[in-house]
Amino acid sequence: MEEVADSQKRLWGACLFVSATDMDVSCFTFTQVLKAVSLNVKQFFTLVRKLDVNLDTISTKVNSALTRLEKKYDVTLALYQRFEKETIRSCWTMFLLAKGRALQMEDDLVISFQLLLCTLELCIKRCPPALLQPLYKSAISKVQSPPTRTSRRNQSKAKSRPMVPEVDLQLLKTLCTENECNAEEVKNVYQTSFSAFLDSLDLSRSPDFPQVNDINQQYEEHYLKSKEFDGRLFFDGDETVLAPKVEISQVERTPKKNLSDEDAVLIPPQTPIRAAMTSIQQLRGDLTSSGDQPSTNLATYFKNCTVDPTQDVLKRLETLGQAFSQRFGQAVGPRCIVLGRQRFNLGVKLYYKVMEAMLKSEEKRLSVQNFSKLLNDSTFHTSLLACALEVVMATYGGVSETNVCFPWILDVVNLAAFDFYKVIESFIKADPTLSKDIVKHLETCENLIMERIAWRTGSPLFELLKQEHEGGAAEQVETPASFSQPLQHNHTAADLSQVTSQPLTQPSGQTPRPPKSNSLSLFYKKLYRLAYMRLKILCSYLLSSHPELEPIIWTLFQHTLQHEHELMRDRHLDQLMMSAMYAICKVKSVDLRFKTIVTAYKNMPNTNQETFKHVLITEGHFDSIIVFYNQVFMQKLKTNILQYASTRPPTLSPIPQIPRSPYKFPNSPLRVPGSNNVYISPLKNPRMSPGIMTPRSRMLVSIGESFGLSNRFQKINQMVNSSDRSLKRTLDLGATPKPLKRLRFDMDGQDEADGRLVASGVICSTRSRMQEQKMKEDTESRKE
């Protein structure tokens, strides 16, 4: 009974946290919740996400808050583990306070790390020498130059000005060298953010070590105000902030032939900090020879133009540099504008480097040197610069930083996503030094554009589509006949920047069609291939017993994208995919419920609950995916959908050929195991392990596998078997997922009855097949 009571307490604690976060009425801190329910941070996050998987109770607001809190925890944990043996409690507390006050975005690992180095510099130089390690003791600048007559005059003038803390450059350089960090960047952090923090505590004028009680009291006030976790608990070894224990007997080894264990090469483990510093060092190293002004070769290209673009390029960079720095400061911290300018300058170097490489390639390909039209195209320059800046931001950790992650950069430089998309492939080809992670990130950006961002109202994509239709093109955008043809990756940013090109072929006897847009044609080719890959994955989860339905669903899906593209306006590609699957299953009398589709969809790579919870219905009105299907999708495509139930259904669309991505490196393709031609992005979270995606496991959806090992099921059963019947109804984690509370299904046969789960038909049969498949796999794995 005591164990059941603990389960109830944890469940109610999770529900309380979710409700308070949703309503902005929290009167307790996150740490207080953790202590009340006796869970650590990671355990609590897992419990809350289980609620979302099974009851769909987590709003977008709560999910965002949870994600930000988890990222902040991961950053703080990484920093503590890195300096656990090198710092003292008061120094750690001061850092936590500085991070909380100086940064609006505390999930920024790099700037947080740099702030910690600043804090260490202050503490080391104010510590008694006897307490210091020899390395830092010798690094402290002990000899001060005798004051000159001029300096004595300046001292009297300086008394009336606020005292700026003087950084010990030698000590700071030593700290940066030891931690593989750029000293100039840390110096700027010190002179802006950290010095302002010290001044606010009136520590600038005092040579003594800060009063421990004062720092502790001020952090206590900050912690209670933030309502988050207490970072001081790391020093106490408190169970609520302990990291999950990993069995590591020794440092990872690289085996060498003919070497004994004692002679094996020791490689330091790859920590988040080391990974970030390595990526930054690599980027800076690659740009060492690049300047913040056009090189001689690039300047020659500019001068060879009919209209020299040099002044426009420089003026544009100045304008966008100011905008970027200001927006960076707003997102990260008010005193981080200088840091923003540093990152912008790195982006400019990369922008010049890639532009020159592109022009050299174009000169070789076209045997011309006058690129006046391209180099006087403001959109091309802005797109190329935005791509360079996105690479810099991602290298510094912008992928995980909520405030500045893609597509933040598009808003900063006022650039349409469709225009940004045009340069991605050429950018990657022009810079072979880009790391694998950055290449993957840019591919993710491209997919986001095709799935959603390019379809926002105001996008130039709609103007191109309008021109195609008004031109009377018989086959708009990209014809299904071209699906089986290989996707050629020899188009350049220069090609895509041209508005139109003549069609390759023109059938005899037909009225000549207007020229097609290069960029639109390529966009649709890639869109179709992305759409089919995602559909194939979802079908593998749900329709392996009905393989004949996949090409039919694809035909409806492709028809919608080609002929009813207005349905994509301000919506997501996956919304049309799920609607097409449900519609075909409906007319083919296959009992697949929408709630089952949504449950499986959650386990697909790169998905978000917003996609099925927040769908545009009419202008300014959003609702669930089911309401969209009933009121929009089905109404628009009813005639077409019913044709698939007739004796003369529409001709099936050809299946797109899925080539190896041009962005993948030969030694690291991300392929669905068991498939020869399906490539996907990495999973975004551990809800579904990559091992699931095998031919033997394609029937598995979120039920069961998403909860992990059997011991987790035992814990779930303890909750379910609770004497509190209302609790059992609330969290029946062992059964089929309860239907989404806001979803309403088609009129002729509802998927729900009085809000209760209908545990029959395909759901039960699917569950049985899944259980049988799981048992079969377990048996086979034991044999192996």
Side-chain angles (χ1 to χ4, degrees):
M1 289 299 294
E2 182 179 349
E3 197 167 348
V4 172
D6 287 342
S7 298
Q8 291 184 16
K9 182 171 67 173
R10 291 167 182 170
L11 175 63
W12 288 117
C15 293
L16 180 64
F17 172 81
V18 168
S19 300
T21 303
D22 223 354
M23 300 171 64
D24 284 325
V25 293
S26 181
C27 56
F28 45 79
T29 68
F30 182 53
T31 291
Q32 289 170 341
V33 175
L34 295 177
K35 288 187 173 295
V37 299
S38 302
L39 290 175
N40 65 36
V41 173
K42 292 296 184 181
Q43 290 171 335
F44 188 83
F45 288 152
T46 300
L47 175 60
V48 173
R49 290 195 168 110
K50 280 182 183 177
L51 290 175
D52 190 39
V53 168
N54 292 276
L55 301 182
D56 200 63
T57 56
I58 308 302
S59 68
T60 303
K61 179 180 179 180
V62 173
N63 188 61
S64 177
L66 206 65
T67 300
R68 184 181 291 273
L69 190 60
E70 186 170 22
K71 288 176 179 176
K72 178 181 175 182
Y73 168 77
D74 289 340
V75 166
T76 308
L77 174 63
L79 292 171
Y80 176 73
Q81 289 176 332
R82 174 65 184 82
F83 289 98
E84 180 180 1
K85 298 178 180 180
E86 295 185 25
T87 186
I88 57 179
R89 185 186 183 92
S90 57
C91 182
W92 175 252
T93 305
M94 176 181 283
F95 157 69
L96 294 173
L97 182 60
K99 182 163 70 82
R101 289 192 178 179
L103 299 182
Q104 294 172 192
M105 197 170 64
E106 293 190 59
D107 56 354
D108 189 311
L109 176 63
V110 174
I111 299 181
S112 296
F113 178 53
Q114 292 168 341
L115 265 178
L116 182 51
L117 292 181
C118 294
T119 309
L120 286 170
E121 187 272 349
L122 180 77
C123 294
I124 288 173
K125 71 184 180 184
R126 296 189 180 185
C127 264
L131 299 179
L132 297 179
Q133 296 180 16
L135 174 67
Y136 300 125
K137 188 183 300 185
S138 60
I140 296 178
S141 304
K142 296 179 179 179
V143 180
Q144 303 291 338
S145 301
T148 63
R149 183 177 303 174
T150 304
S151 65
R152 284 193 295 268
R153 285 199 302 267
N154 290 337
Q155 284 177 2
S156 60
K157 296 180 181 179
K159 291 180 180 179
S160 60
R161 298 195 303 265
M163 184 176 179
V164 178
E166 185 176 346
V167 59
D168 189 318
L169 294 178
Q170 183 59 41
L171 175 57
L172 194 64
K173 184 178 180 180
T174 301
L175 284 167
C176 292
T177 302
E178 282 293 301
N179 294 283
E180 302 174 300
C181 196
N182 183 271
E184 189 63 29
E185 289 186 355
V186 179
K187 178 184 174 183
N188 282 329
V189 170
Y190 196 110
Q191 294 177 338
T192 55
S193 301
F194 193 64
S195 63
F197 163 72
L198 294 179
D199 201 46
S200 69
L201 298 181
D202 201 25
L203 292 175
S204 304
R205 303 173 184 277
S206 172
D208 300 325
F209 198 83
Q211 291 294 319
V212 176
N213 291 339
D214 291 344
I215 297 296
N216 195 60
Q217 178 61 35
Q218 294 199 48
Y219 177 75
E220 177 77 13
E221 294 172 1
H222 170 77
Y223 152 66
L224 293 175
K225 184 178 179 180
S226 70
K227 308 292 185 185
E228 296 180 351
F229 60 87
D230 188 345
R232 296 170 297 185
L233 296 180
F234 285 100
F235 247 94
D236 299 333
D238 193 282
E239 292 184 355
T240 60
V241 295
L242 286 179
K245 293 183 179 179
V246 179
E247 296 295 331
I248 301 179
S249 58
Q250 58 180 344
V251 179
E252 184 179 351
R253 293 178 181 270
T254 298
K256 297 288 183 181
K257 290 185 178 181
N258 303 323
L259 289 180
S260 63
D261 288 343
E262 290 75 14
D263 296 327
V265 178
L266 294 179
I267 300 178
Q270 184 75 329
T271 64
I273 294 175
R274 180 170 285 110
M277 294 303 108
T278 301
S279 297
I280 294 170
Q281 280 186 331
Q282 179 181 336
L283 176 65
R284 286 183 163 275
D286 294 337
L287 297 176
T288 301
S289 59
S290 302
D292 53 7
Q293 295 292 323
S295 67
T296 303
N297 288 338
L298 189 55
T300 301
Y301 281 118
F302 288 172
K303 291 177 182 177
N304 286 338
C305 291
T306 306
V307 178
D308 190 335
T310 304
Q311 292 306 313
D312 286 343
V313 168
L314 297 177
K315 184 177 180 181
R316 185 183 302 109
L317 289 176
E318 181 59 31
T319 302
L320 293 179
Q322 292 177 0
F324 180 90
S325 302
Q326 292 295 329
R327 291 290 296 275
F328 185 87
Q330 292 172 12
V332 180
R335 296 188 179 275
C336 293
I337 293 177
V338 175
L339 299 180
R341 190 73 206 194
Q342 280 186 320
R343 296 192 186 181
F344 181 82
N345 290 340
L346 273 179
V348 169
K349 290 183 178 182
L350 183 57
Y351 157 75
Y352 282 142
K353 174 187 175 184
V354 171
M355 190 194 310
E356 182 176 339
M358 282 184 177
L359 294 175
K360 286 181 180 179
S361 177
E362 287 295 280
E363 180 183 3
K364 183 177 180 180
R365 184 173 73 100
L366 302 174
S367 299
V368 297
Q369 294 181 327
N370 187 342
F371 297 102
S372 187
K373 185 175 181 180
L374 178 67
L375 293 179
N376 281 280
D377 185 339
S378 176
T379 301
F380 166 73
H381 284 284
T382 304
S383 301
L384 198 61
L385 177 63
C387 199
L389 290 171
E390 182 61 29
V391 168
V392 172
M393 296 300 290
T395 302
Y396 275 82
V399 177
S400 60
E401 295 163 3
T402 313
N403 290 10
V404 296
C405 64
F406 188 80
W408 177 80
I409 189 62
L410 302 184
D411 186 46
V412 172
V413 300
N414 193 25
L415 179 69
F418 186 73
D419 291 324
F420 181 87
Y421 140 85
K422 295 177 186 178
V423 305
I424 293 176
E425 186 172 326
S426 292
F427 191 101
I428 293 172
K429 291 178 179 178
D431 189 358
T433 65
L434 294 176
S435 69
K436 296 177 185 179
D437 288 339
I438 292 300
V439 171
K440 292 174 186 176
H441 172 69
L442 290 178
E443 184 182 19
T444 300
C445 294
E446 185 180 64
N447 288 344
L448 286 173
I449 290 170
M450 292 189 291
E451 292 172 356
R452 171 175 55 90
I453 307 174
W455 298 98
R456 291 174 179 171
T457 297
S459 169
L461 174 60
F462 288 106
E463 183 60 32
L464 286 175
L465 288 168
K466 181 181 177 182
Q467 292 172 8
E468 288 279 338
H469 286 275
E470 288 180 347
E475 296 175 332
Q476 293 86 14
V477 293
E478 193 60 33
T479 62
S482 66
F483 290 173
S484 58
Q485 300 173 2
L487 179 57
Q488 300 297 326
H489 297 287
N490 56 1
H491 20 258
T492 67
D495 289 333
L496 301 183
S497 296
Q498 304 301 314
V499 178
T500 59
S501 67
Q502 293 296 330
L504 298 177
T505 61
Q506 180 65 51
S508 60
Q510 290 188 7
T511 304
R513 297 206 306 264
K516 294 184 71 172
S517 161
N518 282 330
S519 57
L520 183 60
S521 178
L522 177 62
F523 180 85
Y524 256 82
K525 282 182 179 179
K526 289 190 173 185
L527 175 68
Y528 285 150
R529 284 160 175 78
L530 175 65
Y532 177 71
M533 283 195 298
R534 294 188 68 73
L535 175 63
K536 188 174 182 65
I537 294 172
L538 189 59
C539 286
S540 73
Y541 294 169
L542 297 170
L543 296 173
S544 63
S545 59
H546 296 279
E548 73 282 359
L549 293 185
E550 182 185 302
I552 302 175
I553 298 169
W554 165 243
T555 301
L556 175 59
F557 191 14
Q558 183 274 323
H559 168 87
T560 308
L561 292 173
Q562 182 178 359
H563 298 286
E564 303 292 346
H565 51 75
E566 274 294 323
L567 287 176
M568 279 294 296
R569 186 183 291 272
D570 296 322
R571 296 192 179 99
H572 194 290
L573 180 68
D574 292 346
Q575 293 163 356
L576 271 61
M577 175 184 70
M578 289 186 279
S579 297
M581 175 176 282
Y582 183 78
I584 294 302
C585 288
K586 196 73 176 175
V587 299
K588 293 296 184 179
S589 301
V590 174
D591 190 9
L592 180 65
R593 311 301 173 91
F594 233 124
K595 59 178 169 283
T596 310
I597 295 174
V598 167
T599 300
Y601 175 76
K602 288 181 180 180
N603 283 326
M604 286 183 61
N606 306 316
T607 59
N608 189 297
Q609 61 176 346
E610 279 275 288
T611 306
F612 57 84
K613 285 185 177 181
H614 195 72
V615 190
L616 178 67
I617 308 301
T618 58
E619 185 176 354
H621 174 57
F622 295 82
D623 213 307
S624 72
I625 183 70
I626 307 301
V627 176
F628 165 72
Y629 173 83
N630 287 332
Q631 297 185 11
V632 182
F633 188 88
M634 185 179 65
Q635 302 301 324
K636 188 73 173 178
L637 293 161
K638 185 181 298 183
T639 302
N640 186 271
I641 293 171
L642 291 176
Q643 290 178 4
Y644 293 94
S646 68
T647 55
R648 300 184 63 183
T651 303
L652 295 179
S653 295
I655 300 301
Q657 185 180 61
I658 309 299
R660 173 172 292 188
S661 168
Y663 309 136
K664 301 293 187 230
F665 292 85
N667 61 342
S668 60
L670 294 177
R671 186 179 65 190
V672 178
S675 174
N676 292 326
N677 62 351
V678 181
Y679 292 81
I680 62 172
S681 301
L683 295 176
K684 68 173 183 179
N685 57 40
R687 281 186 181 175
M688 183 175 184
S689 65
I692 292 175
M693 289 187 281
T694 64
R696 297 179 300 173
S697 307
R698 290 186 175 185
M699 281 305 301
L700 295 181
V701 291
S702 65
I703 308 169
E705 188 66 24
S706 62
F707 299 142
L709 304 175
S710 58
N711 63 333
R712 297 186 184 178
F713 278 106
Q714 294 172 2
K715 295 180 181 179
I716 294 169
N717 288 333
Q718 292 170 1
M719 292 187 228
V720 172
N721 293 329
S722 167
S723 58
D724 186 340
R725 295 181 61 84
S726 63
L727 175 62
K728 181 175 180 178
R729 288 196 300 270
T730 303
L731 191 66
D732 192 0
L733 299 182
T736 307
K738 194 170 181 179
L740 307 185
K741 59 184 179 181
R742 296 183 66 245
L743 301 189
R744 292 295 178 266
F745 294 80
D746 51 337
M747 303 304 247
D748 59 342
Q750 291 200 350
D751 269 347
E752 296 175 289
D754 300 325
R756 295 188 294 271
L757 176 64
V758 181
S760 61
V762 70
I763 301 177
C764 283
S765 62
T766 299
R767 179 172 172 77
S768 299
R769 288 196 302 270
M770 288 165 51
Q771 291 173 338
E772 293 172 3
Q773 186 70 29
K774 179 64 176 174
M775 293 174 62
K776 181 180 177 181
E777 290 183 9
D778 290 343
T779 302
E780 292 180 1
S781 63
R782 284 195 293 270
K783 289 180 181 179
E784 295 173 358

